[in-house]
């Protein structure tokens, strides 16, 4: 549900940026949807491959190198998709690439940064909850041991 909510919010933000008029046309929905697909692929690759293998294991330099490569490869793919190939994929619509390669890189950096930050925040709060539960279990264990010791000292109590 969190992923769905995030991508729906992202869709509405992007369509607001991409729409030519105040009223959305079919081409705006198609453009935004395809643009989002090109954002989702590197985002999920980052979240489920690069973060667990490198960032979570404190291999920050390797992670940074992979992120730079991923960002540039994804942005170049997006740029050429919308400048050269989109007319073959979705014929009948006229797409104009509004953004330069640099601006597309900014989109990818932003999305990868935000999704990574959300993932790390979620992992942090999960870790805090696990520590809280562990402390509660330790407390219950200590209390149980104290009751057992008391019952051994004074069995008539």
């Amino acid at each position: 549900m969190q992923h769905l909510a995030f991508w729906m919010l992202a869709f509405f933000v992007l369509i607001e940026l991409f729409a030519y008029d105040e009223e959305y046309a079919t081409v705006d929905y198609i453009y935004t949807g395809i643009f989002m697909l090109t954002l989702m692929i590197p985002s999920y690759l980052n979240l489920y491959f690069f973060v667990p293998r490198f960032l979570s294991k404190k291999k920050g330099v390797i992670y940074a190198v992979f992120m730079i490569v991923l960002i540039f490869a994804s942005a170049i793919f997006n740029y050429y998709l919308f400048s050269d190939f989109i007319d073959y994929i979705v014929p009948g619509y006229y797409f104009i690439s509004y953004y330069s390669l640099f601006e597309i890189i900014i989109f990818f950096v932003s999305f990868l940064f935000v999704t990574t930050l959300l993932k790390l925040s979620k992992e942090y709060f999960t870790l805090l909850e696990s520590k809280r539960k562990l402390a509660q279990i330790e407390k219950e264990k200590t209390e149980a041991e104290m009751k057992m010791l008391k019952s051994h000292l004074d069995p008539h109590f």
Side-chain angles (χ1 to χ4, degrees):
M1 289 303 292
Q2 294 168 346
H3 290 260
L4 182 62
F6 174 81
W7 290 111
M8 285 177 61
L9 176 64
F11 183 85
F12 288 114
V13 168
L14 289 176
I15 200 166
E16 192 65 33
L17 288 172
F18 296 156
Y20 185 72
D21 289 326
E22 288 182 21
E23 254 186 66
Y24 305 140
T26 305
V27 70
D28 296 324
Y29 290 105
I30 294 170
Y31 183 88
T32 304
I34 295 171
F35 195 94
M36 278 197 47
L37 281 175
T38 66
L39 288 169
M40 291 171 94
I41 293 167
S43 294
Y44 282 113
L45 188 62
N46 176 42
L47 293 177
Y48 292 109
F49 184 77
F50 293 119
V51 169
R53 284 202 170 77
F54 302 112
L55 193 58
S56 295
K57 294 182 179 174
K58 300 191 181 356
K59 297 178 182 177
V61 174
I62 296 170
Y63 176 77
V65 169
F66 277 117
M67 283 301 92
I68 291 169
V69 170
L70 182 64
I71 288 167
F72 278 97
S74 300
I76 289 168
F77 172 76
N78 178 289
Y79 181 78
Y80 283 109
L81 174 69
F82 282 102
S83 64
D84 296 337
F85 300 111
I86 196 70
D87 294 330
Y88 300 110
I89 297 168
V90 188
Y93 292 98
Y94 182 69
F95 291 97
I96 299 172
S97 184
Y98 298 112
Y99 299 100
S100 68
L101 183 58
F102 178 75
E103 291 168 323
I104 293 170
I105 289 171
I106 298 298
F107 276 109
F108 281 89
V109 168
S110 301
F111 269 82
L112 288 172
F113 177 77
V114 168
T115 55
T116 303
L117 191 60
L118 289 171
K119 170 109 173 145
L120 294 177
S121 298
K122 184 178 177 183
E123 287 179 3
Y124 175 75
F125 287 116
T126 302
L127 180 64
L128 283 181
E129 181 64 20
S130 296
K131 284 183 178 182
R132 188 192 65 75
K133 286 180 181 178
L134 184 61
Q136 180 66 28
I137 290 170
E138 288 289 330
K139 180 182 173 187
E140 290 171 2
K141 179 184 170 193
T142 304
E143 288 173 359
E145 288 173 351
M146 288 297 286
K147 281 184 180 180
M148 187 181 75
L149 287 172
K150 281 182 182 179
S151 69
H152 281 88
L153 288 175
D154 191 6
H156 302 290
F157 179 66

